Amino acid sequence: MPNYIVILTLDKINKQSLNFSKWLEKTSHRFKTDLSRYDNSWYKHPPFLEKCAVVFLVNAIAINSYLPLPARIKCEILRLFGAKIGKGVMIKPKVNIKYPSLLTVGNYVWMTKVFG
């Protein structure tokens, strides 16, 4: 008897998944994106490979680590690489910043790692 119940349950699941796939076929035209209209002209490619390597190493050692550096020192390091950072900024441990030259942060901002 339990095998029969499992078969009925699987049959219901298969019917539900078929209904979902039919619904998805009907509504998938709503989710299409026209990539020819995409514009990323604002993006500035990092200037030199050497600078990128230095930023990567400094980020790994000082910014994206649990090394107990004061936030003021982290902000100064990022400013050296071109970041525009306001006053009173708190940078918590394990914050990953790939392109500091593109980073602009206002006053009294806390930057932290998002868990999830």
Side-chain angles (χ1 to χ4, degrees):
M1 189 71 161
N3 292 338
Y4 182 70
I5 293 172
V6 171
I7 291 171
L8 283 176
T9 306
L10 287 176
D11 189 42
K12 282 184 180 181
I13 291 172
N14 287 338
K15 285 182 183 177
Q16 288 174 349
S17 64
L18 286 175
N19 290 339
F20 178 74
S21 63
K22 288 179 185 177
W23 174 82
L24 190 61
E25 288 174 8
K26 291 178 185 176
T27 59
S28 64
H29 68 280
R30 295 182 203 165
F31 303 114
K32 298 206 185 225
T33 303
D34 183 14
L35 294 177
S36 65
R37 295 175 47 195
Y38 182 72
D39 178 32
N40 65 343
S41 60
W42 57 269
Y43 178 74
K44 300 174 198 165
H45 190 48
F48 301 107
L49 182 61
E50 295 85 12
K51 184 178 178 182
C52 289
V54 172
V55 167
F56 177 77
L57 289 174
V58 170
N59 182 37
I61 294 169
I63 310 296
N64 190 11
S65 71
Y66 287 111
L67 191 65
L69 287 176
R72 186 178 305 157
I73 293 175
K74 290 181 180 182
C75 290
E76 288 303 319
I77 291 171
L78 290 172
R79 284 185 186 113
L80 285 174
F81 289 110
K84 296 176 184 96
I85 299 178
K87 61 182 180 179
V89 174
M90 174 64 73
I91 301 176
K92 300 304 252 177
K94 295 300 282 182
V95 173
N96 190 14
I97 299 172
K98 292 183 180 181
Y99 301 118
S101 59
L102 299 177
L103 180 66
T104 303
V105 179
N107 295 330
Y108 307 107
V109 174
W110 280 45
M111 298 171 64
T112 184
K113 177 184 175 183
V114 176
F115 296 98

